[in-house]
Amino acid sequence: MSTVTDAVRGAGPRPAGGIGQSIRDSLVVAKRNLIRMTRIPEMILFGLVQPVMFVILFTYVFGGSMKIGDTASADVYKNFLMAGIFAQTVTFATAGAGAGIADDMHKGLIDRFRSLPMARGAVLTGRTIADLVQTALTLLVLAIVALIVGWRVHEGFAKALAAFGLLLLLGYAFTWVGALIGLSVRTPEAATSGGLIWLFPVTFISNAFVDSTQMTPWLRHVADWNPFSATVQACRELFGNPGVSTSSAWPMQHPVWASVIYSVVIIVLFRTLAVRKYRSATA
């Protein structure tokens, strides 16, 4: 009898063990999600196909018609474009993250996690880490495709790695936005739709696909102060690609610092809101 009692007590929730336990629990949840992704290969495949299609379509359909600075050269636009495509790819992963969390909520998996002796925020942190790994894989494949179609880096390997680091930081930040949306809706379909509604204006009212100096003044100001634009501009500078901004807006003059600051603020704000929403949803 005492053995059974001890087992029941051991199975019950235990108080959190601080930052160390939170990190361990987050990594366990991340491993679980990564294993799940490998068992559903179409998730990874479809995540790779869409950005590759964007590269090919924008490069060959719009390549000769977009004016960058004083030229409409297809080669110039090709190199101008890639930073925007990379940034769009990491941010569009947000919709999938939100849908995944909404699906876990809908199936009751979050309630099962809640019954375990684990840190509360670890469920969301582990999920976002797994999504970050998948995003990094997609970004690697996309970079290879970009090199094949003619994109080149001109500032060295170290700066290129720094640019990809900024891209992953932005993607991780926006994943927390997706996590909050996923916790706030009832179905995965609603999470996907809710994620895309705000992603399209964020990515297209920016300097990702067109030179912002060609926009009307009020729209140019919106684009110049867009966090997405700061990361795109920072990547262009670190890659040595065309598209140096003539804007006097602070994020365009200091894009690397602006990108880091924007991403960190988004992570802190939306992680706080998402964990609070998670606790209230499972209370």
Side-chain angles (χ1 to χ4, degrees):
M1 177 67 70
S2 61
T3 303
V4 174
T5 304
D6 291 342
V8 172
R9 288 176 180 173
R14 297 191 300 269
I19 296 177
Q21 181 182 346
S22 180
I23 293 174
R24 289 193 298 271
D25 293 343
S26 298
L27 293 177
V28 169
V29 176
K31 181 180 178 181
R32 173 257 173 190
N33 282 283
L34 289 172
I35 292 174
R36 179 173 177 267
M37 290 176 186
T38 61
R39 292 175 178 173
I40 311 176
E42 56 267 26
M43 291 177 58
I44 300 175
L45 178 62
F46 292 150
L48 293 173
V49 169
Q50 180 179 329
V52 170
M53 287 179 60
F54 271 112
V55 169
I56 295 173
L57 288 174
F58 273 89
T59 299
Y60 295 106
V61 175
F62 300 107
S65 58
M66 293 291 188
K67 187 176 181 181
I68 305 302
D70 297 326
T71 180
S73 168
D75 288 335
V76 171
Y77 182 69
K78 185 186 304 178
N79 284 277
F80 171 89
L81 170 70
M82 290 309 165
I85 293 289
F86 292 151
Q88 184 195 48
T89 299
V90 300
T91 53
F92 268 49
T94 300
I101 290 175
D103 186 51
D104 288 344
M105 291 285 290
H106 183 68
K107 292 179 178 178
L109 186 62
I110 298 297
D111 291 332
R112 298 176 198 171
F113 279 134
R114 183 172 177 263
S115 68
L116 298 174
M118 62 189 303
R120 289 290 182 89
V123 175
L124 299 180
T125 303
R127 175 77 204 200
T128 56
I129 291 174
D131 289 327
L132 181 64
V133 173
Q134 183 179 4
T135 300
L137 175 62
T138 304
L139 202 56
L140 174 62
V141 174
L142 189 60
I144 294 173
V145 174
L147 289 170
I148 292 173
V149 300
W151 171 70
R152 294 293 181 267
V153 172
H154 303 284
E155 292 293 332
F157 185 70
K159 287 189 176 182
L161 282 181
F164 285 116
L166 290 178
L167 288 166
L168 291 176
L169 182 63
L170 178 71
Y172 185 68
F174 278 13
T175 298
W176 281 106
V177 181
L180 180 60
I181 293 174
L183 290 167
S184 303
V185 299
R186 297 182 180 181
T187 64
E189 293 80 8
T192 301
S193 299
L196 293 177
I197 286 174
W198 69 272
L199 279 172
F200 274 105
V202 166
T203 55
F204 283 95
I205 305 178
S206 70
N207 60 358
F209 308 111
V210 297
D211 187 350
S212 62
T213 59
Q214 308 294 327
M215 300 179 181
T216 57
W218 70 269
L219 196 60
R220 182 173 67 248
H221 291 309
V222 174
D224 287 345
W225 285 91
N226 184 345
F228 184 82
S229 293
T231 299
V232 172
Q233 190 62 34
C235 289
R236 287 192 181 120
E237 289 192 2
L238 292 171
F239 289 144
N241 292 159
V244 177
S245 177
T246 58
S247 171
S248 61
W250 187 84
M252 296 296 100
Q253 293 297 314
H254 309 277
V256 174
W257 281 108
S259 176
V260 173
I261 292 171
Y262 275 136
S263 295
V264 170
V265 169
I266 292 171
I267 291 172
V268 172
L269 175 61
F270 282 93
R271 187 186 188 281
T272 302
L273 294 174
V275 172
R276 184 177 300 172
K277 183 71 176 179
Y278 169 77
R279 286 175 176 171
S280 64
T282 57

